Amino acid sequence: MSGSRQGGQEHGSFWRDNSLTLAFGTAFLLVLLGQALAGHADFNAQLTDDGLQRISLGEYMTSSDFAVDVTENWQSEFLQFFLFIFGTVWLVQRGSPESKELHKIGSESDHEQRMGDHAGKDSPRWAGTKDWRQLVYSRSLGLVMGGLFVLSWLAQSITGVAAYDEQQLRQLQDPIGWGAYLASPDFWNRTLQNWQSELLAVAAMVILSVYLRQRGSPESKPVGTAHTSTGVEG
């Protein structure tokens, strides 16, 4: 979640140069599989208690019950980054490497952002334009994160009402429509329990990074840097 960092031009192997993405991407798939296995066992235990037939792992992974559990976490993560990306344009925290320097509050000048006439030969093509392309590209990260949040939240609502109605039918109760589900306690309980945890995590990271250090991490200031130093990265 730190600001931009300019590295050297040295290139190593594909695996080393992309190790952060590859490691977290692999971990994501392994944890997703673990969630599927655990959720499948739990779901079948519920079916047994209700006197219903158990289902296969494949059937569970294509079910609304699995999908809603996955998407409700995805939307909260994308919300976290969407809010953090846009929030850090105008909001600062003195002493945190997660904040920009105090005097740089705002969208900054074209010179500072290397836009328009100040774009370099290695700048992205749209950064050097002076029309709608520059406007869009200069906010593209936040817009994409916001779009992914909206899409995953929509997916959560659709899979959530399907899972909720399935449970209603198992209990011989009437299903409800999508609109009614959006106003239901089940939907907002699933949503808000994730939002509050993400906001707490961001707030904790921002303030703890003022006083604590992690040697070698770009999410931390250098170990010997003063607590009041802001926007300094290791």
Side-chain angles (χ1 to χ4, degrees):
M1 291 184 293
S2 296
S4 61
R5 308 173 181 92
Q6 293 194 10
Q9 297 299 314
E10 179 185 354
H11 294 283
S13 70
F14 171 83
W15 299 103
R16 191 207 69 176
D17 289 354
N18 299 280
S19 58
L20 190 59
T21 298
L22 292 171
F24 276 89
T26 301
F28 159 72
L29 294 176
L30 291 174
V31 172
L32 184 64
L33 176 60
Q35 178 187 349
L37 294 173
H40 175 239
D42 182 60
F43 189 71
N44 272 338
Q46 295 178 32
L47 291 178
T48 300
D49 291 341
D50 292 339
L52 300 173
Q53 184 177 356
R54 295 162 66 91
I55 64 174
S56 68
L57 178 61
E59 290 173 320
Y60 174 71
M61 292 185 70
T62 56
S63 71
S64 57
D65 292 86
F66 178 66
V68 69
D69 288 340
V70 171
T71 54
E72 74 176 68
N73 286 284
W74 286 5
Q75 58 89 4
S76 64
E77 296 295 338
F78 289 126
L79 175 67
Q80 174 195 144
F81 284 105
F82 168 70
L83 292 177
F84 193 80
I85 289 165
F86 275 107
T88 50
V89 175
W90 300 98
L91 304 177
V92 295
Q93 172 59 56
R94 182 180 178 88
S96 176
E98 301 298 333
S99 166
K100 64 167 63 179
E101 296 176 67
L102 303 182
H103 67 279
K104 291 186 176 180
I105 291 177
S107 55
E108 303 180 13
S109 67
D110 286 359
H111 175 71
E112 291 173 308
Q113 289 290 313
R114 299 183 64 190
M115 294 165 53
D117 294 334
H118 304 282
K121 293 181 179 180
D122 59 345
S123 297
R125 185 160 57 96
W126 282 22
T129 62
K130 298 181 180 180
D131 51 25
W132 63 270
R133 292 173 294 175
Q134 186 197 80
L135 181 66
V136 171
Y137 187 72
S138 63
R139 294 164 178 81
S140 56
L141 181 59
L143 291 174
V144 169
M145 286 294 180
L148 290 172
F149 159 67
V150 171
L151 290 175
S152 55
W153 198 22
L154 177 61
Q156 177 200 336
S157 70
I158 294 172
T159 56
V161 69
Y164 184 85
D165 282 348
E166 183 180 335
Q167 186 178 34
Q168 290 286 97
L169 292 172
R170 288 204 303 265
Q171 297 174 352
L172 303 180
Q173 298 181 16
D174 293 332
I176 63 175
W178 181 67
Y181 180 71
L182 289 181
S184 71
D186 183 81
F187 176 71
W188 286 104
N189 178 52
R190 285 179 175 275
T191 296
L192 295 176
Q193 67 178 317
N194 285 284
W195 286 7
Q196 56 85 14
S197 63
E198 299 301 335
L199 295 172
L200 174 63
V202 171
M205 181 64 182
V206 169
I207 192 62
L208 290 177
S209 62
V210 175
Y211 303 102
L212 306 179
R213 308 287 188 271
Q214 179 59 54
R215 182 172 182 171
S217 174
E219 300 301 326
S220 166
K221 294 184 287 190
V223 177
T225 302
H227 292 326
T228 54
S229 297
T230 307
V232 178
E233 300 153 355

